[in-house]
Amino acid sequence: MNPDSYLYLSAILFSLGALGVLIRRDAIVVFMCIELMLNAANLAFVTFSRMHGRLDGQIFAFFTMVVAAAEVVVGLAIIITVFRTRRSASVDDANLLKY
Amino acid sequence: MDTYVPILALGLIAAAFAIFSVVIGSLTGPKRYNRAKLDSYECGIEPTPQPVGGGRFPVKYYLTAMLFIVFDIEIVFLYPWAVAFDALGWFGLAEMVLFVLTVLVAYAYVWRRGGLDWD
Amino acid sequence: MTNWFLGSFDTHIPWWFILVVIKAVAAFAILVVLTLFNIWYERRVVSFMQMRIGPNRVGPQGLLQSLADGVKLALKEDIVPTNADKPVFWIAPLLSAIPAFLAIAVIPWGPAVSIFGHWTTLQLVDLPVGVLYVLAISSIGIYGIVLAGWSSGSTYPLLGALRSSAQMISYEVAMGLSFAGVFLYAGTMSPSGIVNAQQHGWYFYMLPLSAIIYIIAMVGETNRAPFDLPEAEGELVGGFHTEYSSLKFALFFLAEYINLVTVSALAVTMFFGGWRAPVPISLWSGANSGWYPMLWFMIKLLIFVFVFIWLRGTLPRLRYDQFMAFGWKVLIPVSVLWLLVVALFRQLRNAGDLDRAHAVPIGIGIAAVFLLLVVALEVRERNQIRRTPPPTVPDYEPLAGGFPVPPMPGQSAPAVPRRPQFARTAAAPAPALNGTTAEEASTR
Amino acid sequence: MSAFPYLSTTIGTPLLGVAAIAVLPKERAALARPIALLASLVALGFAIADAVAFKTGGPRFQLSESYAWIPTFHVNYSVAVDGVALVLILMTAVLVPVVILASWHDADARGGALTPQGSPAESKRSVRGLFAQLLALETLMLGVFAATDIFLFYVIFEATLIPAYFLIGSYGGARRSYAAVKFLLYNLLGGLLMLAAVIGLYVASTHSPVGAAFSFQTLSKAVGDGSLTMAGSTEKWLFLGFFIAFAVKAPMWPFHTWLPDAASEATPGTAVLLVGVLDKIGTFGMLRFCLELFPHASHYFTPLVLVLAVISTIYGALLAIGQTDMMRLIAYTSVSHFGLITIGVFALTARGEVGATLYMVNHGLSTGALFLLAGFMISRRGSKSIDAFGGVQKVAPLLAGTFLAVGLSSLALPGLSSFVSEFLVLVGAFEKYPVAAIFGTTAIVLAALYILWWYQRTMTGPVASSVEGFKDLNRRELAVIGPLVALIVVLGFVPSILTNFINPAVSQIPAHVQITQQAPHSVAQDSATQGNGSGQ
Amino acid sequence: MPSILAASTAAASNTAPFTAPHVEWGKLSPMLIVLGAATMGVLVEAFAPRAARYRLQVGLTLLALAAAFAAVIALHDTPTSVAAAGAVAVDKTTLFFQGTILAISFIAVLVIAERRTEGGQDAFAAQGGSVPGSQQEREAVRAGWLTTEVYPLVLFSIGGMLLFPAANDLLTMFVALEVLSLPLYLVCGLARHRRLLSQEAALKYFLLGAFSSAFFLYGAALLYGYAGSVQLSNSDPHNPGIAQAVAAHAHGPALLYTGIALLGMGLLFKVGAAPFHMWTPDVYEGAPTPITGFMSAATKIAAFGALVRVLDVGLAGSVDVWRPVIEIVAILTMVVGGILALTQRNVKRMLAYSAILNAGYIIMALVSTGHDALASLLFFLPTYGIALVGSFAVVTLVRDAGGVEATDLSRWAGLGKSAPIPATLMSIFLLAFAGIPFTSIFVGKFAVFQAALAAGAPQLVIVAVLASAVAAFFYLRVIVVMFFSDPMPDGPTIANPSIAVKTALAVSALVTVAMGVAPAALLHLSNAAAVLAR
């Protein structure tokens, strides 16, 4: 199978994620979109890894997973704290710092 | 890709069966409208109005989810290490001990601070 | 070669594909049949344990009872509550059932056999990462449960779903850790490779603790008694599927029983030699070839199912906090440390520093230390509980909060009826919100 | 390198005073005044010693010291004086003790001279702060004239802003913070442009056979002998960088607007230092750096500069006539005078340069004295407005007399110091740029107008009711103003005291610009691309 | 397609015999000390009694930082090399960055550990997870709890910062980026006062930070696709790194260009360069002020270290591609920082925009891959960082009633009279930011401008000069308010800090002035340190 297809898929996923971050307002959804971007990068890494016949791309993917997990932990903690305080996870409601 | 064809086949069969069941279940059964029947079940008393999803979850569940992620990631690293263990030798063992100890430090912290207690 | 059955097919269809279809259909059929059988099996065995008879009317020995139940369910009204999130409510049972079927795909039921003259293994597909596949697929099933609970728009299902997901992910950690030891010994993640590696000894005695942990964890994973808290009828009225009826409910039921089979099959594969014949029979050279291994596998599988039923029949349900504490505070640390011990042993042996003569005493020593550690933890826990002074109970107020209430433990109702103390009702002390007493918190 | 570090000693003495004041305990704060006076007098002594040690027939730069400071950028702490720098150092050293004496009570509890109402919030001002900052400013002013390393010069040039800023902002009048900010921003912007130019010069030197250098002597020599050549446009940009900084400093139209505010809001003492000394850095910089480092560009931009200078001269004088605020009036006269100095600098004749340099000193003395006298009057009356005075000469004849003498010096009456310099400037300019000289001459007429009118409105006529009970100059004030008047008179008759030093230093400058003008790298070459530069 | 893992396991167990990589523990010791101490800190949290934790944590943190600094010193003449199988470059630049980060962190931790200004409590929430204003929070405050987890978190972050500029492959760099960022996201949300603001800051920082790290990651993926390696540089011809691939024009440039762009976005976010600066003011304002000081300085240093390594080592071959972009970013950053700072009435926000502006100056030094440019960057960063820490430390001292920091500029009126020492210190820092001579940042600016001009970017210098003039205005405004206006009757009180904070302030101010008066030593050091392992 042509690896280019995977790259296209990964680029589409990444763009979707980035778009989601920019237009969605719910912190959790924004966060999910970021995770989607990370996973898109992972897909790209694995594809390139296969194209180059080298393993370091896969190792990178592993580490990305770890980082994504750590991000989930930290992010969830922050979002829940804000959520518990404001009873809303909308980014728009977090407006105390509006310029 | 061929490897996954059998799984796909099994998946198609299972999906066909499951969808068939869900659809047929809604067709074969009787339909007798009753407002109380369609209410949420709360042991017969008037259900408490609440949003879908029940609003807020106890924070404990999130904590469990976070801990799970941490350990699951540990496992992600354990598996390839375990499979390649014989080739890695002492180096692999030492690195993994270091890694596991680090995770255990976090684990000890969570334990001591009551993160594992479910009240 | 012409065949009455296959002759009707276009001859261009490759053989491997036909085999795949046959095996897939067979796997599906086996699972469905096993489910029907297991439901009956469970009811009969539990009845036996409870000195009852159990289903015995429909079919010989009541064997067709499950089928009858299924038909009955299909004829029941399919209720979708008003509060439910409709699409998700529909999808959830599918999400639960389909992965359940899929998980079985990588389990080897036997070695290579000849089907219509073509050699093939009795395994739908031999993935090199088969075990990972099972873990991955089975975790999709959790989505089904969570979404079912969430989409019902009702309190009990939601709580059940949350509990269920928390429980499954908690025990999945221990489960995953117990597998690591097997991989370490087998050097592969392929189920068939693991079975092959058990040629000279099953892993349940080479890795006893792993096996035990897995068996405990698999009960937790399947939400079965004594770990059936998500469905706890007494507390949650059935948990996540409270609002489900008709065949949607049946699908959850089906999924649960298929999962039962899957985890049992995995246990057999990982720790009990897979399709390999047990010791006395394995002395016969033909035992591990042909179609016989499937028989051994089936027997082992049914023994595991029996164990499940046995547990349900004899053990009471755990309290949720005990259950979570057991998973997080016992299973996980023990399995992590155990894994390191196993690795150390393995490496010592690989490096040639360890021969069998030393291994046994060292092994026993480590096991003893382990045991001591577990006991010490347990003792410590209990001491702590004992040392914690009983919470100071506020005086009994018959009308606390404006309603007549019965006395709490530690309180006593006034001996003689007397004038109610209305003046005091207003000043009911607020309970601590975080649920920890100051003293307990200060030790953290 | 001389055996005794004359210049460093001179520069460092006030700094010692700062240190001494800094360690004063709070309750002995009043001691800051004598300490400051002592330090500045010692510095004056050292400055005179410098002048004595300076050999008028010797090489241009003398008393030089040089120590590596930032080797990475080839920056040295190198100081040396030529005649121009020496006379300016002398002027600074003279003015600072005078200012300190004049500022004796500026930090008192009842506010400075400009806030007689003494609003209650304007309570305490730090005595130690005032005198420490005056001394710090003196150090920097002495240093900036002595610096021969361009980086060092720039650094001190910018650093002078800080004490000046706080002096204006902390001790000035009601709108002092506005004035201080305006002062600092104008000068900082100019300074930053200069910084860019300094760096540009350094980079240019890096690429030349001279090698990376900041030394003024090295660079000007290299420019002179053609070993450091810059692309025409580069040189013009660098010139502009330096020039705008200096033009802001020596307030030149249209960069002058900060000066009236700063001068009128500052205390008289600060105003003296500001206009008398700090602004001289601008004209000093033009004379030394613009002309000698960028001869082609200087030549190229001379018409533009002269036009601006002439505008400054006339504009400043006209506005001075219209002022009712005495401090602002003096500030505008300074704009006018600086225009004349600039004409002298850019006349590119020996007479012009000498005249300009001499003018710098004389202007410092006469304008300084004017500010101080105005300060004395304001402190008595509590108003800066000219209209608030009248007939002062009847109640305070000494004050009026000195005022007249100083004022006449400011309008360049022959026999008083400014006359010599103004004459030299105009003659020098006339040799090459007669039109500019003619326009410049009108300033003399206008100067007579504003000085005499001012005198007439405040000193003569019937005694205004508010002026009754005016005390004449007291002893401290006499000690302040006396030496300045004496110097004005002496220099009016014996300008050669200074011109002996100045002449050799500036004599080569016109030649320097002329010679390099014929260098193969002609200005005309780039005039096509840089045509907008001349602007006329 | 065979599975990922199958391939890797097969490769590991069958085809190639595994040779254990050589890990040069000694060369990694600064990072190991800090991260090890951070782990210890977690254990302290777990096992030490509550009363003893604060002392233990602060001691441990400071000790670790000192030890790591000593390790950096001990390593100072190790030859330029690559350690840990090519993952970490141990060269002079790395050591310089590490030493700087450690020194600045040490000072910052002194401020973070301050308890006297709040009457025995530090700047952090008594209990991070409790809802602001809830009964639970009140109880935690009454019990006098301290979130001592801050110290291990800060140490982890420092560990990441030490690794960030040292990373010689994108994987290590990515991990370092996250180790650096994740703890910071958390501590940002832990301010004792104005919790809601703080939590929102944490949320914004987290979301935008994660967003940018996703860009970094995808950029790394594309560069990996281009070069077939994640190593920035590898001289082994069988295993060429990105630099070698760029030099050899390995593949089509599309992957390279896109990769550079995405990677650059991720890194520029961390330094707070426009147009990726949006988080800076909010986070600086919302975070606990001692943390703001710490992260504004240390993060910036580390991130510039990484930028330098990526651009100068990995992508030096395609300098023509990224240089115009860097120039535009520098200009944009200076313009945005300068102009928006003008409109601020809050000291912390003003300092945030000034940090953006200063980031613009530093980016100027990136336009050239030459030695001088790097050296100027190396000089600028520590001097700027230390002044930044000092200025935020002063902000922590000015308190309104109730212990809330008075960050509104109008509240600072007359501070020069009511509290001359803090006001003078603040003025020193502000004048330094404004680039007044005889302060360290003046020399830094000079160096950077000189490097940019020498690299043929006069337009940058012009913009920088104009931006400096604009900047002077808003720095001066603070000084004007402090010194030239009269104190308010209900003005803020000035906390009397502990000796530690006094030391930190004194050291910051002293360094700021000393490096302006006698910068030769540090310049010499930064010149000597401008050596990258390529």
Side-chain angles (χ1 to χ4, degrees), chain E residues 245-406:
Chain E
V246 170
H249 301 290
H251 297 87
L255 280 178
L256 176 66
Y257 294 170
T258 328
I260 294 175
L262 293 177
L263 200 70
M265 281 164 81
L267 288 172
L268 288 172
F269 173 88
K270 276 291 154 205
V271 304
F276 316 109
H277 65 280
M278 301 81 72
W279 60 278
T280 323
D282 290 349
V283 174
Y284 280 22
E285 186 188 350
T289 310
I291 292 296
T292 310
F294 162 68
M295 75 175 186
S296 59
T299 313
K300 191 159 282 177
I301 294 170
F304 271 108
L307 255 178
V308 162
R309 201 164 284 283
V310 166
L311 294 180
D312 285 10
V313 176
L315 302 173
S318 52
V319 59
D320 299 336
V321 178
W322 51 259
R323 182 175 157 160
V325 181
I326 289 287
E327 286 182 8
I328 290 169
V329 168
I331 290 176
L332 207 59
T333 307
M334 289 186 278
V335 170
V336 167
I339 290 176
L340 288 183
L342 282 178
T343 63
Q344 302 306 321
R345 302 295 308 172
N346 180 307
V347 179
K348 277 171 91 176
R349 283 184 89 82
M350 188 276 283
L351 285 174
Y353 280 106
S354 112
I356 297 174
L357 173 63
N358 279 283
Y361 298 145
I362 309 172
I363 295 172
M364 283 170 64
L366 293 173
V367 295
S368 152
T369 56
H371 169 272
D372 283 1
L374 179 55
S376 71
L377 185 104
L378 290 184
F379 181 86
F380 196 106
L381 283 173
T383 52
Y384 173 64
I386 212 154
L388 208 51
V389 172
S391 61
F392 278 109
V394 175
V395 175
T396 63
L397 300 182
V398 187
R399 304 269 177 170
D400 266 338
V404 185
E405 281 163 9

Side-chain angles (χ1 to χ4, degrees), chain B residues 28 37 41 79 86 107 117, chain C residues 74 77 176 243 328-329 346:
Chain B
T28 52
K37 195 162 68 184
Y41 178 73
Y79 280 6
D86 290 351
Y107 177 76
D117 298 334
Chain C
E77 181 172 359
E243 299 288 355
W328 283 103
K329 293 184 178 174
R346 178 88 181 173

Side-chain angles (χ1 to χ4, degrees), chain E residues 170 214-224 255 258-260 262-263:
Chain E
L170 293 175
F215 278 97
F216 179 93
L217 189 68
Y218 207 77
L222 294 183
L223 283 182
Y224 172 64
L255 280 178
T258 328
I260 294 175
L262 293 177
L263 200 70

Side-chain angles (χ1 to χ4, degrees), chain E residues 199-266:
Chain E
Q199 289 176 356
E200 286 186 8
L203 180 65
K204 280 193 182 176
Y205 193 22
F206 167 73
L207 287 179
L208 290 171
F211 190 45
S212 79
S213 60
F215 278 97
F216 179 93
L217 189 68
Y218 207 77
L222 294 183
L223 283 182
Y224 172 64
Y226 173 78
S229 165
V230 288
Q231 291 218 328
L232 290 175
S233 169
N234 193 337
S235 44
D236 177 7
H238 301 294
N239 203 10
I242 292 173
Q244 285 73 21
V246 170
H249 301 290
H251 297 87
L255 280 178
L256 176 66
Y257 294 170
T258 328
I260 294 175
L262 293 177
L263 200 70
M265 281 164 81

Side-chain angles (χ1 to χ4, degrees), chain C residues 119-393:
Chain C
W119 283 95
T120 179
T121 52
L122 282 175
Q123 184 183 13
L124 189 54
V125 53
D126 188 12
L127 288 180
V129 286
V131 182
L132 269 192
Y133 166 83
V134 175
L135 288 176
I137 289 289
S138 62
S139 60
I140 295 179
I142 303 181
Y143 281 97
I145 291 174
V146 173
L147 290 180
W150 182 82
S151 67
S152 297
S154 175
T155 313
Y156 291 120
L158 181 70
L159 282 176
L162 284 176
R163 274 191 178 188
S164 175
S165 55
Q167 160 173 353
M168 284 170 114
I169 61 177
S170 300
Y171 277 64
E172 191 167 316
V173 174
M175 190 183 200
L177 285 169
S178 68
F179 285 159
V182 174
F183 300 150
L184 201 138
Y185 267 69
T188 173
M189 278 194 255
S190 145
S192 61
I194 290 171
V195 173
N196 282 335
Q198 294 183 69
Q199 201 169 356
H200 304 297
W202 296 358
Y203 285 148
F204 85 90
Y205 72 84
M206 294 165 81
L207 300 164
L209 212 49
S210 291
I212 292 169
I213 290 168
Y214 174 72
I215 290 168
I216 295 172
M218 80 181 185
V219 180
E221 274 292 282
T222 43
N223 294 341
R224 293 278 313 185
F227 299 153
D228 57 344
L229 304 135
E231 299 166 31
E233 294 88 348
E235 312 162 29
L236 293 177
V237 213
F240 64 90
H241 53 53
T242 303
E243 299 288 355
Y244 278 89
S245 57
S246 184
L247 280 181
K248 291 206 200 78
F249 170 73
L251 281 181
F252 283 118
F253 217 69
L254 178 75
E256 181 178 333
Y257 277 86
I258 295 176
N259 283 337
L260 193 76
V261 171
T262 309
V263 291
S264 303
L266 208 57
V268 172
T269 309
M270 302 289 283
F271 296 103
F272 292 89
W275 40 258
R276 295 191 171 280
V279 172
I281 307 171
S282 63
L283 297 175
W284 168 45
S285 57
N288 284 335
S289 59
W291 290 82
Y292 288 111
M294 200 164 163
L295 182 64
W296 317 137
F297 188 89
M298 220 52 183
I299 290 170
K300 291 182 199 172
L301 185 69
L302 288 179
I303 291 174
F304 263 99
V305 174
F306 176 76
V307 170
F308 270 107
I309 298 166
W310 188 12
L311 289 174
R312 176 177 165 188
T314 48
L315 292 182
R317 181 182 302 136
L318 262 72
R319 224 169 56 209
Y320 197 63
D321 61 329
Q322 291 173 332
F323 168 78
M324 292 301 271
F326 180 66
W328 283 103
K329 293 184 178 174
V330 179
L331 285 189
I332 290 177
V334 166
S335 48
V336 168
L337 294 176
W338 167 250
L339 180 65
L340 292 184
V341 171
V342 167
L344 180 67
F345 259 71
R346 178 88 181 173
Q347 178 55 28
L348 281 174
R349 242 180 59 191
N350 283 350
D353 295 342
L354 187 74
D355 53 27
R356 211 162 275 266
H358 295 125
V360 175
I362 294 178
I364 291 171
I366 290 178
V369 169
F370 246 92
L371 214 64
L372 278 177
L373 202 72
V374 173
V375 170
L377 279 172
E378 187 59 29
V379 167
R380 191 172 167 280
E381 194 90 337
R382 289 190 182 194
N383 283 346
Q384 227 166 28
I385 292 165
R386 201 177 327 126
R387 256 180 282 138
T388 315
T392 48
V393 185

Side-chain angles (χ1 to χ4, degrees), chain A residues 10-11 14 31 34 41 45 48-49 52 54 56-58 60 64 67 71 75 81 84-86 94-97 99, chain E residues 4-5 129 132 171 178 182 196-197 199-200 206-207 211 213 217-218 221 224-225 228 230 239 282 285 343-344:
Chain A
S10 116
F14 186 80
F31 182 42
I34 292 170
F45 267 117
F48 284 127
S49 174
H52 290 300
R54 297 173 57 125
D56 33 12
Q58 297 180 6
F60 213 129
T64 309
V67 165
E71 246 173 31
T81 322
R84 269 155 48 100
T85 310
R86 297 201 76 100
N95 54 6
L96 284 183
L97 287 163
Y99 157 69
Chain E
I4 304 162
L5 230 60
L171 174 55
E178 294 294 332
L182 291 176
L196 207 52
L197 203 71
Q199 289 176 356
E200 286 186 8
F206 167 73
L207 287 179
F211 190 45
S213 60
L217 189 68
Y218 207 77
Y224 172 64
V230 288
N239 203 10
D282 290 349
E285 186 188 350
T343 63
Q344 302 306 321

